[in-house]
Amino acid sequence: MAVVLAIGCVSPGWAQTGSFATNIAPVLQHNCTKCHGATKQKASLRLDSLEGVLRGSENGKVLKPGDTEGSELLRRVMLPPTDEDFMPSGDSPPLEPADLAALENWVAAGAPETASFELAATRRSEAVPPAAPDYRPKLAEATELARRLGVRLIPRSRVPTDGLVLRTASAPGNCNDEVLAKLASVSDVIVDAELARTKVTDKGMKEIGRWPNLIRIDLSHTVVTSDGVARLATLGRLESLNLTATKVDNRGVAVAMKLPKLRTLWSFGDP
């Protein structure tokens, strides 16, 4: 069974002007110079000056003034955080949407050093609240917890209020009810729990039921039953639930269908 709805709303924005010194150099300094600055230059690339940016790396140019499609620097910072080429690398958070937009418009304007350029229109989405609190204050804690527990917690997007995704696909056997309980301190910034083929049970669903901003859960190929689904009734923001190949029967499906924000429900096959 599948039920699908879609809602979206973005209001118009407005344009402003910026400059390299005010809007671009601080972004590069804050996000890039740890690996590409005065003390360290991965791939012989320095991003602490316009000269360094234009010089490029040992692999060639990373920025082509006027060419947003051909600028490798821009491509990498705009990749999803899960992509292996994504920058900033390591556990650094993605750039802010406004900073990404400024970089793109600066490159499109020819990457001027002193002349002003038009910043991207600021978009407002007042009708769509943040998915979760800003994850950045908890990112270090979440990263350490994930490392210690053998799971992954990664940003859902470049927007820090879009929350974190709990991923277990690379080692589903590591995730069980005890692991879910140990994630309680960062549970308010987890919006997506990919728990397919893990060892979670109905007991773990009691923990999940306390995660206030959860939007999506994949419980496929687990031993969760209808009693476990009943423990998810507190998730007022849940939009997507996958119960494929679980032990959930029609009673549990009926309970799930009463979730106020549910848009998509999968329930196919046998365990």
Side-chain angles (χ1 to χ4, degrees), residues 5 26 37 133 199 255:
L5 298 173
K199 297 179 180 180
V255 170

Side-chain angles (χ1 to χ4, degrees), residues 3-191:
V3 179
V4 182
L5 298 173
I7 300 173
C9 179
V10 178
S11 61
W14 62 94
Q16 303 177 53
T17 58
S19 68
F20 175 77
T22 302
N23 303 92
I24 305 302
V27 173
L28 298 176
Q29 179 67 35
H30 179 71
N31 295 281
C32 308
T33 56
K34 178 181 177 181
C35 295
H36 303 287
T39 58
K40 185 177 182 180
Q41 302 91 38
K42 282 188 176 181
S44 300
L45 175 63
R46 289 188 64 163
L47 299 175
D48 54 346
S49 68
L50 181 57
E51 180 184 3
V53 175
L54 295 176
R55 183 186 306 117
S57 73
E58 63 188 26
N59 300 312
K61 298 290 186 182
V62 299
L63 186 141
K64 297 179 181 179
D67 184 0
T68 57
E69 296 295 326
S71 293
E72 181 68 6
L73 172 63
L74 195 58
R75 182 187 76 84
R76 291 198 175 216
V77 297
M78 288 188 165
L79 287 169
T82 53
D83 194 291
E84 62 180 11
D85 287 338
F86 169 75
M87 292 293 176
S89 60
D91 296 322
S92 299
L95 272 65
E96 296 278 3
D99 293 338
L100 289 169
L103 276 170
E104 184 174 22
N105 274 32
W106 175 67
V107 174
E113 181 174 12
T114 56
S116 63
F117 64 96
E118 186 176 289
L119 292 172
T122 303
R123 294 188 177 273
R124 290 186 277 183
S125 54
E126 296 166 356
V128 182
D134 190 326
Y135 64 71
R136 289 173 295 184
K138 291 189 174 183
L139 187 59
E141 178 187 3
T143 301
E144 174 57 23
L145 273 172
R147 183 198 65 77
R148 182 154 44 86
L149 298 173
V151 297
R152 297 182 68 199
L153 283 169
I154 63 173
R156 188 183 183 206
S157 77
R158 304 184 191 97
V159 181
T161 53
D162 270 357
L164 300 179
V165 179
L166 169 60
R167 286 198 168 164
T168 63
S170 60
N174 290 346
C175 188
N176 53 33
D177 299 336
E178 288 70 30
V179 167
L180 297 180
K182 290 175 180 178
L183 293 174
S185 62
V186 297
S187 62
D188 62 325
V189 293
I190 300 175
V191 298

Side-chain angles (χ1 to χ4, degrees), residues 173-231:
N174 290 346
C175 188
N176 53 33
D177 299 336
E178 288 70 30
V179 167
L180 297 180
K182 290 175 180 178
L183 293 174
S185 62
V186 297
S187 62
D188 62 325
V189 293
I190 300 175
V191 298
D192 191 333
E194 299 177 357
L195 302 175
R197 295 180 171 81
T198 63
K199 297 179 180 180
V200 299
T201 71
D202 290 349
K203 180 182 177 181
M205 296 308 97
K206 184 176 180 180
E207 295 295 335
I208 290 285
R210 299 190 181 108
W211 295 11
N213 297 307
L214 208 56
I215 295 172
R216 177 182 176 275
I217 315 175
D218 184 353
L219 295 172
S220 61
H221 301 277
T222 66
V223 297
V224 171
T225 73
S226 294
D227 291 336
V229 172
R231 294 175 174 178

